[in-house]
Amino acid sequence: EVQLVESGGGLVRPGGSLRLSCAASGFTFSDYSMNWVRQAPGKGLEWVSSISSSSIYIFYADSVKGRFTISRDNAKNSLYLQMNSLRGEDTAVYYCASGGFLEWSDYWGQGALVTVSS
Amino acid sequence: EIVLTQSPGTLSLSPGERATLSCRASQSVSSTYLAWYQQKPGQAPRLLIYGASSRATGIPDRFSGSGSGTDFTLTISRLEPEDFAVYYCQQYGDSPYTFGQGTKVEIK
């Protein structure tokens, strides 16, 4: 069974940092490009970042460029999102999902809630 | 950036009726790299359609996708009670991999 399990969410003050992790199982993680997608409360889906299977290619949304860093460790079947200089508008559920780089997202985690508030 | 505009914003229909959802792109989507997702409250999105018209594994055949270039359609031939949800289109051909704003299919 395919599983993507996010962790590391929580409450953080504006300007603070947080690191999300996503543990993958049930599929060959190293064969897949991976995404982070977020959803603000009551809003639609917003693509955040993608990383290719070997980490050679990385893309970011303009809204997070320079503040967020995506990475992966194929030996640990894990995806990460380092989030710095957090703002109120970064408050959202963050989903780890397969896909990007011409691939659709067929695997999704259940999401991790990040709340940025003083 | 490719902007995806979905219409209508809300579709009010009864079980058994046909649903037609539109997704229009601001520029051509490369080689039909267009997907549709379904999302229910409190749940992660679920892939329905990829490549504009290919059904994902386990998706019932009442769901179908069509279109190319800038105009795409998701059709649900006969709505079942479990189909009332929000539907999103996404293009994954050119970064940023944008989503449409969603269409809510609600029970009339």
Side-chain angles (χ1 to χ4, degrees):
Chain A
E1 179 194 5
V2 169
Q3 278 199 309
L4 291 171
V5 180
E6 299 94 339
S7 60
L11 175 64
V12 61
R13 296 191 185 280
S17 297
L18 213 54
R19 189 195 196 207
L20 300 181
S21 299
C22 172
S25 60
F27 67 105
T28 306
F29 178 75
S30 58
D31 285 348
Y32 283 76
S33 297
M34 296 296 294
N35 292 321
W36 287 100
V37 174
R38 69 184 180 183
Q39 187 169 37
K43 302 297 184 183
L45 300 171
E46 179 188 14
W47 171 81
V48 172
S49 183
S50 294
I51 186 168
S52 62
S53 58
S54 57
S55 303
I56 291 176
Y57 301 105
I58 289 175
F59 290 144
Y60 295 101
D62 285 347
S63 58
V64 306
K65 201 173 293 183
R67 300 187 299 122
F68 289 12
T69 302
I70 191 172
S71 62
R72 64 189 295 162
D73 185 336
N74 286 343
K76 295 183 178 179
N77 290 337
S78 293
L79 177 72
Y80 306 101
L81 186 67
Q82 177 66 43
M83 303 183 292
N84 298 332
S85 303
L86 282 161
R87 307 166 180 167
E89 55 264 35
D90 296 320
T91 294
V93 173
Y94 285 73
Y95 293 103
C96 160
S98 63
F101 302 97
L102 311 185
E103 298 172 3
W104 53 90
S105 296
D106 41 5
Y107 305 142
W108 291 75
Q110 280 306 113
L113 176 62
V114 173
T115 303
V116 183
S117 175
S118 55
Chain B
E1 171 176 330
I2 298 177
V3 177
L4 299 180
T5 302
Q6 293 186 239
S7 61
T10 302
L11 202 48
S12 298
L13 295 168
S14 301
E17 290 194 291
R18 181 184 188 90
T20 303
L21 287 66
S22 173
C23 176
R24 183 158 291 175
S26 60
Q27 54 188 281
S28 185
V29 175
S30 304
S31 304
T32 63
Y33 291 125
L34 192 286
W36 290 93
Y37 302 90
Q38 177 194 66
Q39 188 179 34
K40 297 178 180 179
Q43 296 186 16
R46 176 174 75 143
L47 176 70
L48 298 175
I49 301 288
Y50 63 92
S53 60
S54 297
R55 263 189 306 277
T57 303
I59 301 303
D61 60 7
R62 64 180 181 274
F63 290 92
S64 63
S66 62
S68 64
T70 60
D71 287 292
F72 300 88
T73 300
L74 174 70
T75 302
I76 311 170
S77 59
R78 288 175 55 87
L79 282 164
E80 297 288 339
E82 62 267 27
D83 299 337
F84 292 91
V86 180
Y87 294 83
Y88 295 94
C89 59
Q90 184 205 19
Q91 65 82 19
Y92 51 93
D94 292 288
S95 177
Y97 302 130
T98 44
F99 287 90
Q101 82 278 19
T103 290
K104 181 179 182 180
V105 178
E106 65 176 22
I107 300 176
K108 187 174 182 180

